[in-house]
Amino acid sequence: MSELTNPTVECTTTDRPTAKRPKEEETIDSNKKFKEEIGAWKSKLTGKQFKKYAKARKNGFSVSFDEENNMPTQILHPQVFFEPVGKYTTMKEIRSLLLGLLKKGSTMPKGIRALGDGKIPKVVLLDCPMLDPSDLGVSLGEYYISPTNTLDVYNSLMQHKISKYLGHKLGENVLASMTTVGLDTHKYFADRFLDIIQSPLSKEEIKKIRNPNDQFLENRTTTDFLMLDYDQLVSEGYPIPAILDNSSELPEGWVDTPIGSGDGREKRLMALDCEMCRTANGLAITSIALVNAEGESVLRCHVKPAEKIIDYLTKYSGVDETCLRDVKTTLSDIQTELLKHIDGDVVLIGHGLNNDLNCLQIRHPYIIDTSTIYHHTNGPPAKPSLRFLAHRWLKRQIQEKSKNNGGSAYSQQGHDPCEDAIASLDLVKKKLKYGPEYGLHPMWISETIIDMFERHQLQCSVVQINPTYTPSFTSKLREKKTYFTVTTNTQLAEKVIEQHAMGDAVVAEFQLPAQEEDKNEVMVNCLEMIYDALEPDTALVLLCGNRTNTELDSLIKRNSLYKQALAVQPLEEIPMEDRWTLEDEQNLTTVTDTYRRGLLFAMVKNVV
């Protein structure tokens, strides 16, 4: 293959207009430039061939020539182009884009095309916390960036230090597609990088997980995997023991469970459930049940609260005044009794166990909470009831108001704590048997992008800086040989370069540098490192935009505080300034829609 005498084939900022000019003037200037660029080949091209060459170059293609029988043949190197469309590009479509660039014939997102004569052998996607649409002044309702509809934004991007990595133009001169990340179950925008690397399974695969066959139990999991970690304990409102946080002070009247033997043996399972009443000082324990791993009762009794009882909550607790009339057992007595059975060698199981432990004033480090390892029918953050979980996954009816309690001291109106504890225990056993995704909402049953590429006989690597995901998905990622975590952006760039040389695709997420003023410089240096190392005809995809916003964070916090207040007091007792209004809700929707947007750029590194 022969090369151009002047191989400046990739578009630079000078290739793109910064303002509209008459079409005839642009054509004359372009043709003059292309005649100079084509050099020695000019005499060998017919007028028709030159027009084809000029059109290809004007549209952003890199062109080389292959001479056969003294007749030059133009080769258009592959390039990625955007077209004007009236919709945002989703993270699902970006996954399709990565696959479509590598496998011709695969479905490409609407408005994005890969054109040219050659094949794109590799692709690199970089998620960069910069060039946010809101910071650039892109209005809501704009779906792409071009000089025809967003000239000021277009010019600003063309003057940016990373403009050479932002791609080429075709037709309407579309430089970038606007993206939007999905909303999570809180109706706030989700983690966009997670949305890319987490790919939903097919309905058939989900059905197999939710309705497993006992003959195929390859998805078994462990108690360690199901236990809440420190961050989860905090977020779920559990009291944190000193063994997990040595700076935590033990409040008066509270106890920590004893440290275990530390002999390395598997921890024992025990399940706990309590029923409460409402007193002048809040909720208090009125009955308790503790069962062992075989479901046998270890402790079951009533407890006399020290405070005056305002409401026995008999409808739920099954406890009334008659039940507690002759009871002498105090909270301190129950604490002493529980600590005879529960220590560091025990994993404590329960449903919403944070409420029980807070009322018991006991701190324990090893917890499995069935309200977190199983999902509500609508998915998180809604919490499933134990009654629903028992019916759906155990095919068992519990908490039946008309149930005959066999003459026990528990009212037929409410829950039986022993029955509830056994149900929680059996739900955990099911989870251990069928795997971590058993009992989850379908949206949370997924595969990694690494798995998705493997099904197409392609190797994909994922590189991140100290990510935090759910234990289930984190476990999936860590099982993969091509998943890597690093601690700095420079290390990330180096790992991207390493993996690019070894596989078909690399997907990586940069983090915002600690110093705001260094943000652009760090990003530019890392992008330059990676771009220089890319192999010829590699597609470079940039997903840009901020990941957090102070205005949105403030609104979310206000909304959360309002919901917490409304859960414990009537609306009329909440001060007006602390209430969440319709105007607040509309503002939250607008701010969320504004800041969940991003920019998608794509180009192919052509070296001819």
Side-chain angles (χ1 to χ4, degrees), residues 222-273:
T222 64
T223 53
D224 286 348
F225 182 83
L226 297 180
M227 284 192 301
L228 297 174
D229 61 26
Y230 176 83
D231 291 334
Q232 291 172 310
L233 289 170
V234 171
S235 66
E236 293 293 332
Y238 277 87
I240 306 301
I243 193 172
L244 297 181
D245 182 1
N246 55 21
S247 66
S248 66
E249 297 182 2
L250 189 66
E252 183 179 353
W254 283 69
V255 294
D256 277 348
T257 54
I259 297 174
S261 63
D263 57 11
R265 288 184 297 178
E266 186 175 355
K267 297 184 188 303
R268 307 188 311 277
L269 298 181
M270 301 194 82
L272 174 71
D273 187 78

Side-chain angles (χ1 to χ4, degrees), residues 96-302:
S96 299
L97 169 65
L98 299 181
L99 197 59
L101 291 173
L102 295 174
K103 292 182 73 73
K104 283 199 170 184
S106 297
T107 302
M108 291 280 282
K110 184 179 180 181
I112 307 177
R113 290 193 292 166
L115 304 175
D117 299 323
K119 176 187 176 184
I120 296 176
K122 297 189 177 186
V123 62
V124 172
L125 179 142
L126 304 175
D127 185 325
C128 305
M130 61 190 302
L131 299 181
D132 188 78
S134 300
D135 295 341
L136 293 168
V138 183
S139 303
L140 274 174
E142 297 288 357
Y143 298 109
Y144 55 91
I145 304 299
S146 80
T148 60
N149 71 322
T150 53
L151 181 60
D152 290 342
V153 177
Y154 181 90
N155 288 338
S156 176
L157 290 169
M158 290 304 91
Q159 294 164 14
H160 198 278
K161 290 182 179 180
I162 68 167
S163 60
K164 68 175 290 187
Y165 313 123
L166 300 185
H168 300 268
K169 60 184 185 295
L170 178 67
E172 288 287 333
N173 301 327
V174 176
L175 175 66
S177 172
M178 296 290 295
T179 68
T180 184
V181 69
L183 296 177
D184 64 14
T185 47
H186 295 268
K187 295 189 177 179
Y188 307 137
F189 61 79
D191 184 318
R192 73 170 179 235
F193 191 75
L194 177 61
D195 265 9
I196 291 175
I197 65 173
Q198 186 175 27
S199 178
L201 291 176
S202 67
K203 291 182 179 179
E204 188 62 30
E205 290 297 320
I206 291 174
K207 186 177 180 181
K208 288 180 182 178
I209 291 172
R210 289 171 65 85
N211 300 284
N213 188 328
D214 281 353
Q215 295 178 356
F216 305 99
L217 299 177
E218 68 275 9
N219 292 325
R220 285 180 183 272
T221 190
T222 64
T223 53
D224 286 348
F225 182 83
L226 297 180
M227 284 192 301
L228 297 174
D229 61 26
Y230 176 83
D231 291 334
Q232 291 172 310
L233 289 170
V234 171
S235 66
E236 293 293 332
Y238 277 87
I240 306 301
I243 193 172
L244 297 181
D245 182 1
N246 55 21
S247 66
S248 66
E249 297 182 2
L250 189 66
E252 183 179 353
W254 283 69
V255 294
D256 277 348
T257 54
I259 297 174
S261 63
D263 57 11
R265 288 184 297 178
E266 186 175 355
K267 297 184 188 303
R268 307 188 311 277
L269 298 181
M270 301 194 82
L272 174 71
D273 187 78
C274 299
E275 301 301 335
M276 292 96 164
C277 67
R278 181 169 284 117
T279 73
N281 293 328
L283 294 176
I285 300 292
T286 54
S287 66
I288 184 171
L290 180 70
V291 301
N292 61 21
E294 288 71 43
E296 300 166 339
S297 178
V298 174
L299 174 65
R300 184 178 184 181
C301 66
H302 285 103

Side-chain angles (χ1 to χ4, degrees), residues 544-559:
C544 297
N546 298 336
R547 303 189 188 112
T548 58
N549 176 266
T550 53
E551 182 182 6
L552 180 61
D553 291 343
S554 176
L555 285 168
I556 291 173
K557 184 177 180 180
R558 277 195 56 229
N559 181 254

Side-chain angles (χ1 to χ4, degrees), residues 44 80 156 208 257 335 427 483 515:
K44 295 186 177 184
V80 181
S156 176
K208 288 180 182 178
T257 54
Q335 289 175 335
L427 284 166
Y483 175 71
Q515 298 298 321

